[in-house]
Amino acid sequence: MKQFWDIKSVHQDKILLFRMGDFFEMFFDDAVKAAPVLGIALTQRNKKSQDETPMCGVPHHSIAGPINKLLAAGFKIAICDQLEDPKLAKGIVKRGVTRVLTPGMVYDSDTLDGTKPHYLVSLDSESLSFLDTTTGEAFFFRSKKTTELLRFLQILPVAEIVIAKEDESLLTGVDGVLISHHEDIADLLHPLLKNEAPMSAARLVSYVGNMSGEESLATISPFVMRDLEHRLEISSTTLRHLEVFSTYKGEGLGSLFHAINRTQTSAGSRLLRQWLSFPLRDLNAIEQRLSSVEFWRSHVLELKRVRQILGQMGDIERRLGKISQPQCNGRDLLALAGSVHAGISALEVLVHATGGQANFEGLRDLAYKIERTMVEDPPLATKQGYLIRNGVSPELDELIELSTNAQAMVSRMEAEEKEKTGISSLKIRYNNVFGYYIEITNSHKDKAPAHYQRKQTLTNAERYCTDELIELERKVLSANTKRADLEFEFFEALRKEILAQCPGLLALAHECSEVDVVASLAWLSLEEKYVRPKFSADGSLKMKASRHPVVEQTVKKNFVANDLELRQHSCLLLTGPNMAGKSTLMRQVALNAILAQMGSFVPCDEAEMPIFDAIFTRIGASDQLSEGLSTFMVEMTETSAMLKNATKDSLVILDEVGRGTSTFDGMCLAQSILEHLLSDVKALTFFATHYHELTSLDQSFGQITNAHMTVAERNGEIRFLHTLVKGPALKSYGVQVAELAGLPATVTKRAKSLLRDIESKRVQASSQLSLLDSLTSDEVYVEPVVVNVDPEAARVGEKMKSLMEELQKFPLMQTSPLDVMNQVAKWKEIVERV
Ligand SMILES: Nc1ncnc2c1ncn2[C@@H]1O[C@H](COP(=O)(O)OP(=O)(O)OP(=O)(O)O)[C@@H](O)[C@H]1O
Ligand SMILES: [Mg+2]
């Protein structure tokens, strides 16, 4: 155990996987922590000697799964391997740590979700850097405002944050992510930092180099700066509200990304994710993407062809990430070659259609070389030979022949011995302990010649060797070993050659991803009948037959498309019953804007919209109880950020603001927020509310257009038409919706009677004091209007009220049964007349 402790003392913060024979073992605390994560038994090191050292282990050939489980559980890992062949070792086998892994670095990227990046992140006071070691993507943001940088930390998926101790205070409010301290930074002249990359990038380079070795940096692209200015600003909250990447339940299914993703490659879906996270603001850049989508739409045959080729392409970026690591195997190299062929063929389709030029022929040669070098179906092991083809080198050919012939020589000797001894069941076999041996079953052992030297006795057989066999073994083994060593040399040389061509390979991968995304958007637009959006110079928004990209795919033909038209700086004030489709309509406007600015066609028959600088949403109650904020507090914090940051070029969506508090407070807040948006911010605003009183604001603010979602009512039953109509809604139908939801009949009946009561009271009160009057005194410029009063309902309410009073006073116990019957008949008559 001394060797274990020597190594463990250097890697105390990690789980040490200690290679012993065919297993990686874990001991002491490491074993106690790892066993439940891996779902394996915790045992004692040596039961017989009462050694109680806890231990658990995993077979060395299937180590990738357990490593990924431990990383996903947030542990760091040190892999300690045998550094010499145990057979040749004198004394204890030399061991040492060959790799260190942390949750931000992955052992086998095949086990990751291909559509998501896996970022290591570093933050300092003026920059934020991202590095995905599995794909080679590296970029940074610069800003002196930490809050601005933290926004990106929340938008992008982060596996691990690497930070200097003195900068840790910058991370206030960031939780749920593994934080690792690393003080060193790489030399700023490092090739990955050549684009004036900041300190945070240098810290990541140093961290990865220290942990996994310089070679693992071979497949990383130099860090590039991401522009903060030219992006449509969408916060992580807005992305969540609009369910862009996952639904409220945290599922990918039902999100915008899931609904529009038609990419054929994992790298393509990662790029689509990036385009969705960073929609553009620059008209030319947007138009360029839209024109590319248009191009594929008008070349449907080529579109089908390119998608079919991309479907067979594989993931060059992640495969390269694997090839940079020592545990890669021959199959990785062949898979890369296949991907290179497919990638170049995909680009050729584009080149033929546009008449441009492809310049990746050098990579084709590399792919051919891989295929000429590796056997068709190489083994997983790389150090035991049988992976390099004949014809690669004369020296290797000779060894291959010798080792193959040696095999034949063994067979020949076996035949000769059978003949000489007359034992037909005699066999020459091989194992790691004895090498080659002759095996004779007990029934024939008397016939064994005298020169056979006994090596081992089994229950039913004897094992022997002969001088001749020992000589043969020496020849066979030396040919096999030499062959295996030489094959590994060729394999390593090829691996290095591939790594040397990394920049070209990554460039090919990027071009293919872009083709994949654009072609997928074209395919989507054809499948779902999307149109190319236009961008208005006057800030107006016009949508004909606009649809919600996700709901439309769920309800299919039943989706009701709506027309919308809004001037610059104006507001659509949406009222209408519950379930009528207010939230859906507002979200669809925002999602259409995101799609358009990312360069996609949109689900409309015609669309013209401004280029927004930002989208702000305040939708629903997002639960942040874990952060100690009440629902209403969250609502107000988000609204406050919106009012501070929105500009006249922003799109603002407020869904039932104020509903988290008492009716009066909520309504007054809603009105003052809306007024501020209209007079100071002047953003294009969509405002849905159940406070019908607000609909009269259109008298004071010409920018407001009242609209509602219609409902058809027959015999007290309601049907949602989901159609947008001008003008305020008259009724809420809240109780009817509750009925539809299956609330007990006694509850909804009681609610209806309470409603009638309140409404009749409000009719009486309206002539004396309005709600708004009472609250805002003479500052109120809104005429006191009581909407939502149905005179018919009020009349019924009055009658029912007097009836109930009579019923309450009725002296039931002092009245004869006949009189009770008569009275009930009278009441019945009254009710029927009502
Ligand atoms: N245009 C539409 N066509 C078809 N179905 C729709 C449409 N709009 C909404 N729906 C359906 O109606 C359901 C309710 O819509 P939504 O949540 O937008 O209503 P709402 O008016 O915001 O209700 P609430 O006031 O209760 O928040 C949606 O889940 C959707 O299935
Ligand atoms: Mg709603």
Side-chain angles (χ1 to χ4, degrees):
M1 281 320 263
K2 179 176 176 319
Q3 192 186 32
F4 171 84
W5 283 119
D6 286 348
I7 296 171
K8 179 71 195 170
S9 63
V10 188
H11 297 280
Q12 291 189 19
D13 58 336
K14 303 171 194 98
I15 290 193
L16 187 65
L17 294 173
F18 196 74
R19 175 79 180 260
M20 293 178 85
D22 285 340
F23 278 76
F24 276 105
E25 306 284 7
M26 288 154 272
F27 299 105
F28 300 100
D29 259 12
D30 289 351
V32 174
K33 282 188 223 153
V37 176
L38 301 177
I40 55 176
L42 186 66
T43 57
Q44 284 165 18
R45 188 159 125 82
N46 193 342
K47 284 184 193 136
K48 280 181 206 144
S49 72
Q50 303 270 303
D51 177 351
E52 290 185 358
T53 304
M55 122 177 196
C56 62
V58 283
H60 80 98
H61 52 79
S62 54
I63 188 73
I67 287 182
N68 278 319
K69 277 190 195 163
L70 290 172
L71 292 176
F75 292 112
K76 293 182 181 174
I77 294 170
I79 302 176
C80 171
D81 218 333
Q82 294 169 166
L83 300 180
E84 56 184 349
D85 188 338
K87 266 185 272 167
L88 310 174
K90 294 192 179 79
I92 290 178
V93 184
K94 245 193 236 157
R95 292 186 174 85
V97 169
T98 49
R99 276 192 80 188
V100 170
L101 291 156
T102 73
M105 287 174 243
V106 178
Y107 184 72
D108 182 356
S109 55
D110 287 351
T111 53
L112 290 179
D113 174 356
T115 71
K116 271 192 196 159
H118 193 82
Y119 289 128
L120 261 175
V121 178
S122 182
L123 172 75
D124 59 34
S125 55
E126 44 196 55
S127 69
L128 175 69
S129 295
F130 288 77
L131 172 60
D132 185 343
T133 57
T134 68
T135 62
E137 187 190 10
F139 57 93
F140 61 89
F141 300 98
R142 261 189 211 283
S143 169
K144 292 246 184 306
K145 289 190 211 148
T146 304
T147 45
E148 202 157 34
L149 295 174
L150 286 178
R151 281 213 310 269
F152 293 100
L153 203 57
Q154 280 152 1
I155 288 175
L156 297 164
V158 176
E160 181 180 352
I161 299 177
V162 179
I163 198 159
K165 242 197 155 78
E166 60 166 16
D167 289 332
E168 200 174 354
S169 57
L170 299 173
L171 286 175
T172 38
V174 177
D175 45 29
V177 190
L178 177 83
I179 295 171
S180 301
H181 291 124
H182 186 72
E183 304 305 321
D184 287 349
I185 53 164
D187 187 336
L188 289 172
L189 295 174
H190 193 285
L192 294 184
L193 307 173
K194 64 181 180 189
N195 304 321
E196 297 187 358
M199 297 272 269
S200 57
R203 196 174 311 282
L204 288 179
V205 172
S206 157
Y207 185 69
V208 175
N210 270 16
M211 292 287 179
S212 296
E214 274 294 308
E215 198 172 58
S216 59
L217 293 168
T219 51
I220 313 284
S221 306
F223 278 83
V224 286
M225 183 153 102
R226 284 270 168 89
D227 204 341
L228 279 171
E229 295 297 311
H230 298 106
R231 163 184 182 265
L232 164 67
E233 177 62 46
I234 325 174
S235 69
S236 56
T237 322
T238 299
L239 287 174
R240 212 171 56 233
H241 284 162
L242 295 174
E243 302 188 311
V244 172
F245 292 113
S246 66
T247 61
Y248 269 100
K249 290 186 205 142
E251 288 161 6
L253 193 76
S255 65
L256 176 68
F257 176 70
H258 188 267
I260 64 161
N261 185 4
R262 302 284 191 281
T263 54
Q264 295 286 70
T265 65
S266 311
S269 34
R270 291 195 296 272
L271 184 65
L272 178 67
R273 200 176 265 280
Q274 193 186 309
W275 282 21
L276 257 186
S277 310
F278 297 89
L280 307 172
R281 228 193 282 175
D282 180 71
L283 178 63
N284 286 337
I286 299 173
E287 291 290 5
Q288 218 169 347
R289 284 188 186 173
L290 288 170
S291 297
S292 304
V293 176
E294 181 115 50
F295 166 82
W296 286 113
R297 269 175 62 100
S298 54
H299 291 77
V300 176
L301 277 183
E302 287 85 353
L303 174 62
K304 281 188 180 159
R305 173 102 191 94
V306 86
R307 284 174 58 77
Q308 187 208 353
I309 299 173
L310 287 169
Q312 298 156 2
M313 187 176 155
D315 195 334
I316 291 185
E317 293 173 343
R318 287 225 158 131
R319 193 64 62 183
L320 269 180
K322 251 186 116 178
I323 291 174
S324 76
Q325 294 172 9
Q327 85 272 6
C328 87
N329 60 51
R331 295 178 196 178
D332 291 320
L333 271 48
L334 280 178
L336 180 82
S339 299
V340 168
H341 286 309
I344 294 174
S345 304
L347 294 184
E348 274 168 4
V349 177
L350 180 66
V351 164
H352 283 145
T354 55
Q357 231 188 355
N359 48 1
F360 288 108
E361 280 314 306
L363 296 181
R364 202 49 113 188
D365 293 344
L366 177 69
Y368 283 135
K369 180 164 185 190
I370 296 171
E371 286 163 346
R372 273 199 318 268
T373 308
M374 307 300 302
V375 297
E376 212 164 284
D377 188 14
L380 287 175
T382 50
K383 292 189 177 166
Q384 289 163 16
Y386 299 92
L387 54 130
I388 306 289
R389 278 180 193 266
N390 260 322
V392 170
S393 109
E395 190 190 355
L396 179 62
D397 287 353
E398 221 176 290
L399 285 170
I400 291 177
E401 202 181 336
L402 197 63
S403 79
T404 328
N405 278 346
Q407 216 60 48
M409 282 151 77
V410 170
S411 308
R412 204 162 47 234
M413 183 185 273
E414 188 181 82
E416 282 168 12
E417 292 299 313
K418 274 183 189 171
E419 205 182 313
K420 275 193 234 159
T421 57
I423 309 171
S424 59
S425 60
L426 177 148
K427 285 194 178 74
I428 297 185
R429 288 196 161 140
Y430 177 84
N431 75 18
N432 281 337
V433 185
F434 296 115
Y436 283 100
Y437 55 84
I438 299 169
E439 189 170 292
I440 301 177
T441 53
N442 282 349
S443 47
H444 298 291
K445 71 177 180 190
D446 297 346
K447 294 186 216 157
H451 70 278
Y452 274 26
Q453 303 147 27
R454 210 170 56 221
K455 271 186 141 179
Q456 198 187 9
T457 303
L458 306 178
T459 38
N460 54 357
E462 293 283 339
R463 289 177 174 175
Y464 306 90
C465 71
T466 63
D467 292 344
E468 229 184 327
L469 190 58
I470 292 170
E471 176 55 22
L472 181 67
E473 178 178 319
R474 204 188 49 74
K475 267 195 199 161
V476 174
L477 286 188
S478 80
N480 273 344
T481 323
K482 277 191 197 151
R483 169 188 178 170
D485 288 352
L486 193 59
E487 286 200 28
F488 184 65
E489 263 178 45
F490 278 109
F491 175 76
E492 276 297 289
L494 188 57
R495 193 168 80 90
K496 296 238 155 65
E497 197 173 331
I498 293 170
L499 293 180
Q501 299 228 31
C502 236
L505 287 163
L506 286 175
L508 170 68
H510 292 169
E511 278 201 29
C512 290
S513 306
E514 202 151 322
V515 168
D516 190 17
V517 172
V518 173
S520 83
L521 290 174
W523 193 254
L524 170 79
S525 74
L526 289 169
E527 256 185 6
E528 302 289 337
K529 299 194 174 50
Y530 286 10
V531 295
R532 180 172 182 160
K534 294 194 184 95
F535 296 95
S536 61
D538 62 358
S540 63
L541 178 138
K542 249 181 259 161
M543 288 179 175
K544 216 168 142 199
S546 134
R547 288 116 53 198
H548 188 295
V550 184
V551 180
E552 175 187 35
Q553 286 183 30
T554 323
V555 303
K556 306 262 158 42
K557 293 230 153 32
N558 292 331
F559 194 86
V560 181
N562 278 299
D563 296 345
L564 274 169
E565 202 166 334
L566 280 173
R567 279 172 291 122
Q568 192 180 24
H569 310 323
S570 63
C571 163
L572 190 79
L573 185 58
L574 260 183
T575 44
N578 295 97
M579 283 290 288
K582 301 182 295 298
S583 304
T584 308
L585 183 87
M586 297 199 300
R587 281 163 198 242
Q588 94 192 23
V589 172
L591 294 180
N592 272 282
I594 292 177
L595 284 175
Q597 288 187 233
M598 116 182 170
S600 163
F601 282 30
V602 290
C604 294
D605 283 358
E606 274 173 41
E608 188 170 353
M609 54 186 102
I611 291 187
F612 296 107
D613 63 353
I615 297 180
F616 293 93
T617 51
R618 174 49 236 160
I619 297 176
S622 47
D623 195 359
Q624 291 185 13
L625 293 181
S626 57
E627 287 169 29
L629 295 174
S630 77
T631 308
F632 184 65
M633 189 63 185
V634 172
E635 182 178 335
M636 286 302 119
T637 316
E638 286 175 10
T639 313
S640 142
M642 169 191 291
L643 295 184
K644 275 190 211 135
N645 297 315
T647 74
K648 63 177 182 33
D649 296 323
S650 308
L651 172 64
V652 167
I653 290 191
L654 282 157
D655 197 354
E656 293 182 39
V657 74
R659 72 162 175 194
T661 186
S662 80
T663 314
F664 290 167
D665 284 10
M667 190 179 72
C668 297
L669 274 169
Q671 179 173 345
S672 51
I673 288 166
L674 181 56
E675 285 172 8
H676 181 76
L677 276 168
L678 291 170
S679 23
D680 294 348
V681 179
K682 300 197 172 83
L684 195 71
T685 304
F686 286 78
F687 197 100
T689 185
H690 284 293
Y691 302 127
H692 293 266
E693 288 80 355
L694 298 189
T695 54
S696 57
L697 279 176
D698 65 345
Q699 319 257 315
S700 331
F701 290 91
Q703 308 96 300
I704 291 185
T705 306
N706 271 308
H708 67 279
M709 308 297 291
T710 48
V711 164
E713 185 182 14
R714 193 195 283 170
N715 301 334
E717 275 195 18
I718 51 171
R719 209 158 54 83
F720 300 106
L721 300 181
H722 304 303
T723 313
L724 184 70
V725 179
K726 275 205 173 161
L730 292 179
K731 275 175 96 171
S732 250
Y733 297 99
V735 181
Q736 282 89 334
V737 173
E739 247 169 4
L740 282 182
L743 223 63
T746 44
V747 176
T748 47
K749 263 196 188 150
R750 171 75 180 138
K752 276 184 191 165
S753 97
L754 285 171
L755 194 64
R756 276 195 290 267
D757 220 22
I758 289 173
E759 281 175 351
S760 61
K761 274 190 194 139
R762 280 174 62 176
V763 172
Q764 285 167 8
S766 66
S767 53
Q768 302 152 21
L769 181 73
S770 98
L771 196 57
L772 288 177
D773 263 352
S774 68
L775 291 161
T776 49
S777 69
D778 53 3
E779 281 170 36
V780 173
Y781 35 75
V782 185
E783 282 297 316
V785 182
V786 179
V787 215
N788 195 20
V789 172
D790 180 344
E792 174 64 8
R795 193 177 64 78
V796 173
E798 274 302 287
K799 272 268 179 336
M800 296 312 279
K801 205 171 139 220
S802 60
L803 204 69
M804 277 165 76
E805 276 166 11
E806 249 182 77
L807 186 63
Q808 251 169 1
K809 286 186 205 136
F810 188 70
L812 186 63
M813 300 322 268
Q814 292 88 26
T815 320
S816 74
L818 189 64
D819 288 345
V820 171
M821 262 186 83
N822 285 335
Q823 187 57 43
V824 171
K826 266 191 216 152
W827 284 335
K828 197 160 177 281
E829 212 175 294
I830 296 174
V831 171
E832 273 162 7
R833 260 189 275 126
V834 168

